[in-house]
Amino acid sequence: MSKRDFYEVLGVDKSADEKALKSAYRKKAMQFHPDRNPDDEAAAEKFRESSEAYEILKDAQKRSAYDQYGHAAFEQGGMGGGQGGGFGGFGGGGMSDIFEDIFGDFMGGGRPRRNAPERGSDLRYNMEILLQDAFDGKQVEIEVPVAATCADCNGSGAEAGTEPETCTTCAGHGKVRVQQGFFTIERACHACSGRGEIIKTPCGSCRGEGKIDDIRNLDVSIPAGVEDGTRIRLTGEGEGGTKGGPNGDLYIFISVATHEFYQREGSNLYCRVPITFTEATLGGEMEIPTLDGTTAKVKIPSGTQTGKQFRLKGKGMPVLRTKNAGDLYILVSVETPQNLNKRQRELLREFAEISEDNAKNTNPESFGFFARMKDMLGKG
């Protein structure tokens, strides 16, 4: 049985570039792979056929020979490819190299560089501050436990004057390949725990780890206007790197504690202030302490109702890294008198009797509501 044209096998034109060839083979390999088609001889043959076609066409020299002489270029040992059964007769690195070339990008691609510097891990530090601290800004000294680079071995883990040796099991790659059927699986090398090297004479200070436990004292500047959930990054203050790699970073996450009187929304502050029945009725004046250390006077007009809002411009929180500030809003809540004595009750009853004939003016909201309610019931 004569072989089919390799371009026809992959379903591409003769002008197809490397990317098109790879894409076409990937589709064929996924479609006809023996693991997806168990006991299917036809699929196995198409898989072998497409693999052979790709092995030839992906190589510029072999492809040129094939374009010129066809299959004859590889008969009787020509160009070293194509003959022989199974999946091992494709010359060079064999079938596993073809599969890695096609699907290697799905598994991270490439192998790590031996003895490459490794950056230290980033660290997180949670800090709670008061609302007053967020208003003023604050300088805080913190202690951070870190795994610092060992100064005696500079993070190599080997005793001074010695060097780590390349792991012979994985040839320094940190991974070994295990063949499982058609697939080649990479796993961390058990001999070196994935490091790619063996330390025969460990550093006495870090016991071969390349890092030592340390406490780092840092001065942290909390800017005025910082909000709950703000993240502050301190470059290079994380864990130490290994093999000469840089330190990681330290991230400080700010949480602002709940204040007894003020609630914050962005740069604005809100304060709920209860006032007496007589203050709301007759009017008055109250003093409100603010976070800047001063007091603000607020005039209460007569007839003030619960929910009335007073705005104190510029008395809110600073806007981070600007000269602007938000506002302070005073929300009034009229307190109903409780635990009245006999005389107070008598006065209130007298007040109610006097006001009854003038309810439309003294209690316009309740008067209007019940008037509309009566109209509705009358219509019903």
Side-chain angles (χ1 to χ4, degrees), residues 2 40 112 139 143 170 239 246 258 273 285 313 334 336 353 379:
S2 60
D40 188 336
Q139 199 73 19
E143 291 185 348
C170 64
E239 289 196 349
T258 302
V273 179
E285 187 175 82
K313 190 173 182 180
V334 180
T336 302
E353 291 172 1
K379 291 178 182 178

Side-chain angles (χ1 to χ4, degrees), residues 165-365:
E165 298 181 7
T166 300
C167 175
T168 56
T169 302
C170 64
H173 296 297
K175 295 182 180 179
V176 292
R177 292 184 173 187
V178 179
Q179 196 77 27
Q180 293 185 352
F182 172 73
F183 289 97
T184 299
I185 308 298
E186 282 194 341
R187 296 176 179 169
C189 175
H190 66 277
C192 64
S193 300
R195 297 179 63 173
E197 56 190 20
I198 303 292
I199 300 175
K200 291 191 174 181
T201 310
C203 169
S205 299
C206 65
R207 297 181 177 84
E209 294 297 324
K211 298 180 182 181
I212 57 173
D213 293 334
D214 192 16
I215 298 293
R216 190 174 294 157
N217 295 309
L218 299 171
D219 287 323
V220 181
S221 179
I222 307 298
V226 68
E227 294 190 41
D228 190 81
T230 296
R231 185 182 71 173
I232 299 175
R233 176 187 178 190
L234 300 182
T235 304
E237 297 295 352
E239 289 196 349
T242 55
K243 304 174 186 177
N247 290 354
D249 299 331
L250 173 65
Y251 290 90
I252 299 176
F253 286 77
I254 303 295
S255 62
V256 181
T258 302
H259 194 273
E260 183 179 4
F261 300 114
Y262 297 113
Q263 291 80 48
R264 180 181 184 179
E265 290 186 13
S267 61
N268 294 327
L269 292 174
Y270 293 83
C271 181
R272 178 182 172 276
V273 179
I275 62 174
T276 66
F277 169 74
T278 53
E279 286 175 326
T281 304
L282 303 176
E285 187 175 82
M286 59 182 174
E287 290 189 343
I288 302 296
T290 61
L291 291 179
D292 63 7
T294 64
T295 57
K297 291 185 178 181
V298 179
K299 282 191 173 183
I300 307 296
S302 61
T304 295
Q305 304 295 315
T306 291
K308 175 67 176 178
Q309 185 170 279
F310 300 92
R311 176 190 179 196
L312 301 178
K313 190 173 182 180
K315 291 295 184 178
M317 295 294 294
V319 179
L320 188 64
R321 297 187 178 87
T322 72
K323 295 182 180 180
N324 302 323
D327 301 326
L328 171 59
Y329 291 89
I330 305 300
L331 303 169
V332 168
S333 175
V334 180
E335 184 178 16
T336 302
Q338 302 180 63
N339 304 315
L340 302 179
N341 59 34
K342 183 178 179 180
R343 178 57 179 157
Q344 288 172 320
R345 289 178 181 277
E346 289 175 353
L347 290 173
L348 282 177
R349 287 193 184 100
E350 184 179 348
F351 172 78
E353 291 172 1
I354 296 173
S355 303
E356 189 172 342
D357 293 335
N358 194 30
K360 186 174 183 180
N361 293 322
T362 57
N363 300 289
E365 187 173 349

Side-chain angles (χ1 to χ4, degrees), residues 3 5 27 33 55 63 93 100 109 117 128 216 257 278 290 324 327 331 333 350 370 373:
K3 287 187 177 181
D5 180 82
K27 292 178 181 178
H33 193 280
E55 162 65 11
R63 181 175 181 176
E100 181 179 351
E128 184 178 74
R216 190 174 294 157
T278 53
T290 61
N324 302 323
D327 301 326
L331 303 169
S333 175
E350 184 179 348
F370 286 109
M373 181 69 75

